[in-house]
Amino acid sequence: MAQAAAVAKPPAPPRRRRASATPRRLPYLLIAPAALLMLGFIAYPVISVFYYSLQHYNPTKPWRNGYAGFDNFTKIFTADPAFWDTLTFSAKWVFVEVGLQLLFGLALALIVNQTFVGRALGRAMVFSPWAVSGVLTSAIWVLLYNSQTGVTRYLADLGIGSYGTSWLSDTSTVFPAAIVADLWRGVPFFAILILADLQSVSKDLYEAAEVDGASRLKQFWHITLPHLKDAIVLSTLLRAVWEFNNVDLLYTLTGGGPAGETTTLPLYIANTSVDAHNFGYASALTTVAFVILLFCSMVYLRLSKFGGEDT
């Protein structure tokens, strides 16, 4: 007994402390303020638009307000020719603008990616228009297109055109004039993204291609373009959405005129809500525009195989 008592009992293993739940919840607590702000500034307005799209809501005619059901949507597709006209012009505007911006942006990115004297200054000049706000860009081009003090006056001094000509009030010249104004600000966006991706292309690929006798055109087609695929897909998608929703430049330059020639769907929505105070119908138009953008974006990403490997 004494000998058994003398044998010391092994110490009990220490209790494993239960992991506290606070460290696991800490990341969610840290992002909670930002998430709440997003819900307040994004989710609530979106839900409100969907709600008012099912209502007759005009603050200037409160006696007509009430539940409309799908009447607003029925009117859009069956009794509103302005919707189809503005949607058609929006598609034309997006296609021309994004295509030209991509073409010129790619060319500029390839140029400023080369080594030459004053490259830093050249890059700054190329990218500077993107730093200018949309309203200021519109004001600059309104002055340039002014019939008394703008470009047309100096061209008339050279014998090109006539004095008092306004490109923004002529239906045959307003679209090209608006295209040029928006190109000035949109091209640097593509140039920035494409140049950033060009910096990651390995020089060894080009050196190996030169050893194999590949020309500059073949190097561009088989090395540069495949490497830039995702950057081009993403930039064109983002820019297409932004151009579709372009309101500030066209509103300042033309106001949708002349004769509604430059009225996009978002500009039509703005006029319907702000000028006509028909917020219910404008909300329905916004909902339709949202569905169109969502569908086109999904189809575009699907067809372009964004993020996938080329086969």
Side-chain angles (χ1 to χ4, degrees):
M1 294 292 294
Q3 185 178 0
V7 177
K9 293 183 179 180
R15 288 186 177 181
R16 182 177 297 176
R17 292 187 177 181
R18 190 174 181 180
S20 175
T22 303
R24 294 198 301 268
R25 296 176 182 174
L26 183 60
Y28 300 100
L29 294 176
L30 293 176
I31 66 173
L36 292 175
L37 288 175
M38 290 183 64
L39 287 175
F41 289 100
I42 298 179
Y44 175 73
V46 170
I47 295 173
S48 297
V49 168
F50 291 154
Y51 170 76
Y52 284 113
S53 67
L54 302 175
Q55 306 288 325
H56 290 301
Y57 182 66
N58 189 332
T60 62
K61 300 176 181 179
W63 58 88
R64 294 185 179 179
N65 295 344
Y67 180 71
F70 292 98
D71 291 348
N72 290 328
F73 296 97
T74 303
K75 179 182 177 181
I76 289 174
F77 294 107
T78 61
D80 188 3
F83 166 75
W84 297 107
D85 293 339
T86 56
L87 181 61
T88 302
F89 177 76
S90 297
K92 176 183 175 182
W93 172 264
V94 170
F95 181 79
V96 175
E97 271 293 344
V98 175
L100 291 177
Q101 289 178 19
L102 173 60
L103 180 63
F104 290 115
L106 177 60
L108 279 177
L110 292 173
I111 292 173
V112 297
N113 190 45
Q114 305 299 317
T115 302
F116 56 88
V117 178
R119 183 174 68 170
L121 178 60
R123 288 181 174 181
M125 294 179 63
V126 168
F127 300 152
S128 58
W130 182 247
V132 181
S133 67
V135 175
L136 184 56
T137 299
S138 304
I140 292 173
W141 285 94
V142 165
L143 294 176
L144 287 175
Y145 288 145
N146 187 280
S147 60
Q148 303 299 324
T149 60
V151 176
T152 55
R153 177 188 174 184
Y154 293 100
L155 291 177
D157 292 339
L158 298 175
I160 303 174
S162 58
Y163 291 99
T165 302
S166 176
W167 290 343
L168 297 178
S169 59
D170 190 341
T171 56
S172 62
T173 58
V174 64
F175 182 71
I179 287 291
V180 172
D182 200 46
L183 278 178
W184 181 78
R185 184 168 182 258
V187 167
F189 170 76
F190 284 93
I192 292 171
L193 289 185
I194 293 175
L195 178 62
D197 212 23
L198 281 174
Q199 301 294 310
S200 62
V201 181
S202 175
K203 303 298 182 183
D204 297 338
L205 296 176
Y206 295 103
E207 294 175 358
E210 289 181 0
V211 171
D212 292 337
S215 63
R216 287 291 185 90
L217 181 59
K218 288 185 177 180
Q219 292 178 30
F220 173 76
W221 188 259
H222 295 286
I223 298 176
T224 305
L225 272 184
H227 187 85
L228 296 177
K229 175 196 168 186
D230 284 349
I232 291 175
V233 171
L234 179 61
S235 58
T236 51
L237 177 60
L238 291 176
R239 197 61 189 158
V241 173
W242 294 341
E243 289 297 344
F244 184 88
N245 292 319
N246 191 333
V247 173
D248 53 355
L249 185 136
L250 287 175
Y251 182 81
T252 307
L253 282 180
T254 66
E261 286 291 325
T262 57
T263 302
T264 59
L265 180 57
L267 187 55
Y268 177 51
I269 294 172
N271 292 334
T272 302
S273 58
V274 177
D275 296 338
H277 305 289
N278 193 351
F279 292 99
Y281 189 65
S283 298
L285 289 169
T286 304
T287 303
V288 172
F290 171 78
V291 173
I292 292 173
L293 282 178
L294 181 61
F295 175 77
C296 292
S297 300
M298 293 174 63
V299 172
Y300 180 66
L301 290 175
R302 180 74 174 179
L303 295 177
S304 63
K305 300 178 181 179
F306 177 71
E309 296 292 335
D310 293 333
T311 56

